[in-house]
Amino acid sequence: MSVNEAANALQQLKQRIAEYDYHYYVLDDPLVSDAEYDGLYRALVQLETAYPALITPDSPSQRVGGQALGAFDSVQHRQAMLSLNNAFADEELEAFDRRVREGLGEAEVIYAVEPKFDGLAITLTYEHGLFVQGATRGDGYTGENVTHNLNTIRAIPARLPLEHPPALLEVRGEVLMLKKDFEKLNQQQAAAGAKLFANPRNAAAGSLRQLDPNITARRPLHFFAYGLGASEGAPEIHSHAAAMHYLADLRFPVSALRAVKQGVAGLRDYYAEIGAKRSQLPFDIDGVVYKVNQFEQQQILGFVSRAPRWAVAHKFPAEEAITVVEDITVQVGRTGAITPVARLKPVFVGGVTVTNATLHNEDELRRKDIHIGDTVVVRRAGDVIPEVVSAKPELRPANARAFVMPTLCPECGSHVVRGQDEAVARCTGGLICPAQRKQAITHFASRRAMDIEGLGEKLVDQLVACNLVQHLDDVYRLSTDQLSGLERMAEKSAQNVVDAIEASKQATLPRFIYALGIRNVGEATAKDLAQHFGSLEALIGADIQALLLVNDVGPVVAEAVYQFFQENHNREVIAAMRALGVQWPDIVKKVQGILQGKTLVLTGTLPTLKRDEAQAMIEAAGGKVSGSVSAKTSYVVAGAEAGSKLEKAQLLNIPILDEAGLLALLQPEEALAVTHGIEAAVVTITPESPSQQPDLF
């Protein structure tokens, strides 16, 4: 490949990756799978490795970290990043609107409104369309240079999508962490024995101010733009709403909840609207922001002290309060998780009276050193379950006592166990525990488990509420008369469900194992367990060492399976179901198939075989089917519209088969000559490389 060809290929890869980044990080609408994206990224890195002179600052490969810094440099802001005054009560909101109207001599004013993100304010500087510097707010006039860290945030464009970008453009916004990413990060911190973050804002601030950008790159930070700073050569914009549209056109993430409202009545309506949505938002907010929409009117109003007269933050009620832990009990979740719960002296926080707060798990309780009788800080965000943030040990009374985690489930008496490297303790009575009953039944009846058509969540809710089903074996005792007496269940519908229950008695061992809902045992693992042991009796009698011999079963899965079958209750329910007619043929272990130890990936549409049929044939021959291409992939079977999995296979020099090639692989004695695969079956980024034929043996 010539330098020009490499440059063109790199430009196309960068454009495609930028497009996928925009849809994934900004629009929350992924266009391709993670595996396909990884294939494109790998191709880009390979090209840049071969042609290092073609690496540019806006390349995706330059957004994943760098050398650690000794300290952050100071940055002087071209335009001050001032704070906002706050309004808490309705009277303060009315006073703000009155001052604005009087200052402008208007009877009513148009405001631009948006949520107030609970993150870290930053400014981004673009020169001729390229991101060159990012800084924190600091004291409003001088901030810290955190360019390298901001460059790791994929939601921030590395280059503006403009043919003729402005010579200078400053974008103001907020770095934050989405709630789901915060929970995942704290789980990783707990697993590593590291300190947990108090809240998403604390996590975002700590991540952005890491001296080592490689650490920041591993943290799931997000960004929302909320305004413009200094500019040179940018189009003339006359209002805040127009500025937000301009930023959206430049592919910056902006709040979809922004709006334009008229007068103080419009502001009240918006405050109530966002307050109602607050707990369902994917990020934390602590209020809403109102800004006079027209820039000309903003200039007339000007500033007072360190805040603009034309804007205010309308804050939500306080979300933290002080109270006393009167007791600590546990509750059992629908997955068997045992969660310590603080029973609190009633306290008003976040707009409601709180009497209970989660303590998450035993490690968190110990880390926060919370005792029964302690004075604690409680937080509640919107309608989210309240949590105890911290204790005040200096106020601990002499009669305070530590909490002891129970060893038996309070709902069913089964053993409580805590898996290896897990933070959560769980009840092992999955089939008999009342707290887990609904989920256990719904999963048992699902299509990929026992496939009992008609036995969905709504019917399960009624069966449990009417005490018709206590354990899984009770499903096989249901009659048409019992079901037809339920809400929205006519006699014909009831008979259909009974018929489906009867049909499900003819099962397969892998389906039955999967249907039991053993923690960490999915469909693939259930198949592996069934194939390895051949019978349920052999599986039930297996110890940890025997389970570890099963393909892809590690210590965590082995422990979960062993503990499940150690519970007498679970074995009794299984025995009861078999006595009621649930059966399956034992599996006769086959000799190793021709694909034993091979991993195949299916992509595209095959001419005659359906995806499930092809997968079943591969598994019958001893092979495994994976959803993504990697260096460990043995073959890729490609049909029409194969897409990026095929591209990745070509880059990795993985043998590629069409349908005929797959059949030849499975039945070599009948079709040994069919080995060609698709046209240009194996191609790398260096076109002169020879293609490879699949090795049938």
Side-chain angles (χ1 to χ4, degrees):
M1 182 179 292
S2 68
V3 174
N4 286 339
E5 289 173 333
N8 290 334
L10 272 175
Q11 185 60 29
Q12 292 178 18
L13 283 169
K14 286 193 288 188
Q15 289 174 351
R16 288 180 68 183
I17 290 173
E19 181 73 13
Y20 295 153
D21 280 347
Y22 173 65
H23 279 265
Y24 186 95
Y25 294 103
V26 179
L27 300 183
D28 196 20
D29 181 27
L31 294 181
V32 295
S33 68
D34 289 350
E36 292 173 287
Y37 182 95
D38 291 343
L40 288 176
Y41 184 82
R42 183 189 294 271
L44 179 137
V45 171
Q46 288 177 340
L47 269 178
E48 290 186 337
T49 301
Y51 301 91
L54 298 179
I55 299 175
T56 57
D58 63 328
S59 170
S61 67
Q62 304 304 297
R63 308 194 67 166
V64 293
Q67 294 296 317
L69 305 174
F72 294 116
D73 295 330
S74 294
V75 173
Q76 193 78 22
H77 298 311
R78 289 181 176 87
Q79 288 185 2
M81 297 182 67
L82 302 182
S83 302
L84 296 177
N85 286 325
N86 295 323
F88 293 94
D90 193 59
E91 295 80 8
E92 293 172 301
L93 174 63
E94 291 177 353
F96 162 74
D97 176 64
R98 183 177 62 253
R99 290 193 299 271
V100 168
R101 287 186 289 105
E102 290 173 351
L104 296 175
E106 300 283 349
E108 200 164 52
V109 176
I110 303 297
Y111 294 97
V113 295
E114 59 205 13
K116 185 179 183 300
F117 300 110
D118 193 11
L120 198 68
I122 55 113
T123 182
L124 310 174
T125 301
Y126 289 81
E127 293 181 357
H128 302 288
L130 188 67
F131 173 53
V132 296
Q133 188 180 81
T136 61
R137 181 204 300 273
D139 63 4
Y141 300 96
T142 303
E144 291 178 318
N145 186 340
V146 289
T147 306
H148 293 299
N149 291 346
L150 290 170
N151 202 37
T152 68
I153 302 176
R154 297 286 181 148
I156 296 175
R159 181 182 291 274
L160 300 180
L162 296 171
E163 189 174 346
H164 302 291
L168 171 69
L169 185 72
E170 285 188 341
V171 178
R172 301 287 169 79
E174 199 97 355
V175 168
L176 48 81
M177 192 173 286
L178 302 182
K179 293 175 183 176
K180 61 181 179 64
D181 292 332
F182 169 72
E183 294 296 333
K184 189 180 299 183
L185 176 62
N186 259 354
Q187 289 171 8
Q188 294 169 353
Q189 293 286 105
K195 180 180 178 181
L196 301 189
F197 293 101
N199 52 57
R201 187 187 189 284
N202 171 258
S207 301
L208 188 62
R209 298 193 71 258
Q210 289 289 329
L211 292 174
D212 185 355
N214 288 291
I215 297 177
T216 306
R218 294 194 295 269
R219 303 279 176 83
L221 296 177
H222 197 65
F223 171 78
F224 281 101
Y226 59 62
L228 294 172
S231 64
E232 294 175 15
E236 193 171 348
I237 298 175
H238 300 285
S239 70
H240 181 77
M244 298 302 291
H245 284 301
Y246 177 63
L247 287 168
D249 289 342
L250 293 181
R251 296 196 159 185
F252 285 94
V254 296
S255 174
L257 298 172
R258 68 188 192 280
V260 174
K261 297 292 183 180
Q262 186 168 348
V264 72
L267 300 184
R268 288 197 192 96
D269 290 344
Y270 183 74
Y271 180 80
E273 174 191 343
I274 300 302
K277 296 178 178 178
R278 185 183 182 191
S279 62
Q280 282 77 47
L281 295 180
F283 45 78
D284 279 346
I285 61 174
D286 55 2
V288 294
V289 176
Y290 311 132
K291 301 175 182 177
V292 173
N293 189 40
Q294 293 298 321
F295 287 160
E296 183 180 356
Q297 291 182 330
Q298 290 183 9
Q299 291 175 352
I300 293 172
L301 291 168
F303 301 84
V304 54
S305 183
R306 299 168 62 88
R309 289 191 177 95
W310 42 266
V312 72
H314 194 175
K315 304 295 284 290
F316 289 128
E319 296 182 336
E320 290 188 350
I322 304 294
T323 189
V324 173
V325 177
E326 296 183 329
D327 196 6
I328 297 177
T329 60
V330 297
Q331 62 184 25
V332 187
R334 61 192 182 92
T335 63
I338 307 291
T339 304
V341 177
R343 307 301 177 184
L344 306 172
K345 182 177 181 180
V347 61
F348 191 77
V349 56
V352 301
T353 299
V354 171
T355 56
N356 302 316
T358 180
L359 294 168
H360 299 294
N361 57 60
E362 188 176 10
D363 284 350
E364 265 292 88
L365 188 150
R366 304 294 178 224
R367 184 185 70 82
K368 293 176 180 176
D369 190 28
I370 297 170
H371 287 53
I372 298 168
D374 273 354
T375 298
V376 294
V377 178
V378 180
R379 175 187 296 130
R380 180 181 183 274
D383 291 330
V384 176
I385 298 172
E387 66 170 340
V388 175
V389 179
S390 61
K392 292 185 173 295
E394 68 276 11
L395 300 179
R396 179 171 295 160
N399 62 348
R401 64 187 191 278
F403 168 75
V404 178
M405 190 67 123
T407 57
L408 298 177
C409 173
E411 295 284 346
C412 68
S414 299
H415 290 94
V416 172
V417 300
R418 181 171 168 181
Q420 183 179 347
D421 297 327
E422 289 193 346
V424 178
R426 296 182 186 276
C427 165
T428 55
L431 301 187
I432 58 95
C433 183
Q436 303 175 65
R437 189 177 300 161
K438 289 182 182 179
Q439 175 159 306
I441 298 168
T442 303
H443 172 77
F444 183 82
S446 64
R447 185 172 66 86
R448 294 187 177 276
M450 299 300 280
D451 193 20
I452 305 177
E453 188 174 352
L455 191 56
E457 289 186 13
K458 291 183 179 179
L459 180 55
V460 169
D461 286 346
Q462 292 192 69
L463 293 172
V464 172
C466 296
N467 210 28
L468 293 175
V469 174
Q470 294 186 352
H471 308 140
L472 290 182
D473 52 295
D474 292 330
V475 169
Y476 292 99
R477 297 187 177 91
L478 291 171
S479 67
T480 305
D481 290 342
Q482 287 175 315
L483 292 174
S484 60
L486 299 176
E487 184 181 350
R488 298 182 182 179
M489 185 62 67
E491 186 172 344
K492 177 63 175 174
S493 300
Q495 186 60 52
N496 289 340
V497 173
V498 170
D499 290 344
I501 292 172
E502 185 64 27
S504 75
K505 291 180 179 179
Q506 305 304 315
T508 66
L509 181 55
R511 275 182 176 266
F512 186 78
I513 293 171
Y514 174 64
L516 293 176
I518 304 170
R519 182 164 172 77
N520 297 315
V521 175
E523 289 181 82
T525 303
K527 285 182 181 179
D528 288 339
L529 290 168
Q531 291 289 344
H532 183 88
F533 290 102
S535 70
L536 186 64
E537 289 75 15
L539 174 59
I540 291 175
D543 60 15
I544 295 289
Q545 294 306 313
L547 288 164
L548 288 172
L549 296 176
V550 180
N551 182 46
D552 284 346
V553 169
V556 173
V557 175
E559 180 70 23
V561 174
Y562 178 75
Q563 289 293 344
F564 181 88
F565 289 118
Q566 284 298 298
E567 286 294 331
N568 289 330
H569 305 300
N570 293 337
R571 296 199 302 274
E572 289 169 359
V573 170
I574 291 170
M577 284 192 284
R578 301 193 75 172
L580 289 165
V582 179
Q583 57 184 314
W584 54 83
D586 287 343
I587 295 174
V588 179
K589 296 185 183 180
K590 300 179 180 179
V591 297
Q592 288 194 351
I594 194 170
L595 295 183
Q596 194 70 33
K598 304 287 187 183
T599 299
L600 286 79
V601 172
L602 301 170
T603 180
T605 304
L606 299 177
T608 63
L609 289 175
K610 294 180 180 179
R611 181 70 62 92
D612 289 346
E613 292 173 338
Q615 180 171 341
M617 293 171 70
I618 292 167
E619 291 175 345
K624 290 192 65 175
V625 176
S626 173
S628 59
V629 178
S630 72
K632 295 182 179 180
T633 302
S634 306
Y635 303 103
V636 169
V637 182
E641 301 178 359
S644 61
K645 289 181 183 178
L646 174 59
E647 294 176 8
K648 186 170 183 179
Q650 291 169 335
L651 289 173
L652 296 176
N653 285 339
I654 292 170
I656 299 171
L657 307 173
D658 60 4
E659 184 179 296
L662 173 64
L663 295 175
L665 194 63
L666 295 169
Q667 301 170 327
E669 68 282 359
E670 298 178 11
L672 192 59
V674 186
T675 63
H676 55 276
I678 63 171
E679 274 191 86
V682 178
V683 184
T684 68
I685 56 172
T686 54
E688 65 271 17
S689 298
S691 63
Q692 299 179 4
Q693 297 297 337
D695 176 8
L696 296 185
F697 307 98

